[in-house]
Amino acid sequence: MTLMETKITADKAPKGIKKSALNQRSYQRSISGFTLIELLVVIGIGLALLGVSVLGLIGLRSGQGIEIEARQLVAVLQSAQEKAIGAESESRWGVYFDIAGARDFYYLFQVDEALKADPDYVGMPGAAISSHAVNSNIALTLTDPLSTSSVVFSKAAGRPNGTAIINLTTGDATTEKNVTVNTQGRIDY
């Protein structure tokens, strides 16, 4: 007998049925519905589908986060290049990357030519105009041939001090994006 079937005994017999007939055989009546096993199977399938959807949304979200971060970095690089081309403040402009701490930062800065020329100077070779904190679940890495931690654009021409490849990677290393600056000053991602 399943959970959804009830057994009527002789003392609870409905009108019109003799008690002796119930004594000889059981009177059973089915109630329509789902068994416990069927309900558990449906719940299990639902939870599996929910789990797959949540994982997909997490992946989509991290992909969007890295895309937003790459766009912001490109905008700061383009701003530095535009300031250098316009020779704003009669100076070169650049972007400095601080990736040594617990959280990565990059700064739009005006180049101090004396600091830039000093081979022993370590740090941002100029005055920061704005700072940008990288999302905490994204890591920045600078790859060769960029030997310094800054990209500096020349006055008037807007050409960088070298080719730069800036890699953005999510903390779980599932998504990455490269921002490149070539020797002609083209900025891509």
Side-chain angles (χ1 to χ4, degrees):
M1 183 165 30
T2 65
L3 292 175
M4 302 312 271
E5 295 177 344
T6 58
K7 186 175 180 182
I8 300 176
T9 58
D11 45 317
K12 294 183 181 176
K15 291 182 181 179
I17 296 181
K18 296 182 181 179
K19 290 184 182 182
S20 61
L22 287 175
N23 288 336
Q24 293 174 2
R25 62 181 178 93
S26 298
Y27 172 73
Q28 294 182 353
R29 157 175 77 131
S30 292
I31 300 175
S32 61
F34 298 106
T35 65
L36 181 60
I37 300 278
E38 290 170 330
L39 290 174
L40 290 176
V41 167
V42 169
I43 289 171
I45 291 171
L47 289 174
L49 290 173
L50 180 66
V52 169
S53 330
V54 167
L55 291 175
L57 288 175
I58 289 171
L60 179 64
R61 187 169 182 248
S62 71
Q64 287 176 339
I66 208 163
E67 182 73 21
I68 290 168
E69 199 65 56
R71 284 183 186 166
Q72 288 176 343
L73 175 57
V74 166
V76 171
L77 286 163
Q78 288 173 338
S79 177
Q81 187 179 40
E82 289 167 5
K83 288 177 180 294
I85 289 171
E88 189 173 312
S89 302
E90 297 294 319
S91 180
R92 295 190 297 161
W93 289 81
V95 177
Y96 176 78
F97 299 93
D98 181 4
I99 57 175
R103 190 162 183 191
D104 297 336
F105 289 86
Y106 53 95
Y107 304 88
L108 173 65
F109 73 99
Q110 182 180 1
V111 175
D112 180 328
E113 296 300 336
L115 290 177
K116 186 70 177 162
D118 184 356
D120 296 327
Y121 181 77
V122 177
M124 186 182 339
I129 304 303
S130 64
S131 67
H132 305 272
V134 177
N135 191 324
S136 61
N137 68 341
I138 296 175
L140 280 180
T141 53
L142 305 174
T143 57
D144 287 332
L146 186 66
S147 59
T148 66
S149 54
S150 62
V151 176
V152 175
F153 295 95
S154 64
K155 286 191 271 186
R159 292 209 168 115
N161 55 334
T163 300
I165 301 170
I166 303 109
N167 179 270
L168 295 94
T169 309
T170 55
D172 59 3
T174 57
T175 310
E176 77 174 54
K177 193 111 181 136
N178 286 328
V179 174
T180 59
V181 182
N182 71 14
T183 56
Q184 300 303 309
R186 182 180 169 122
I187 303 167
D188 292 310
Y189 74 100

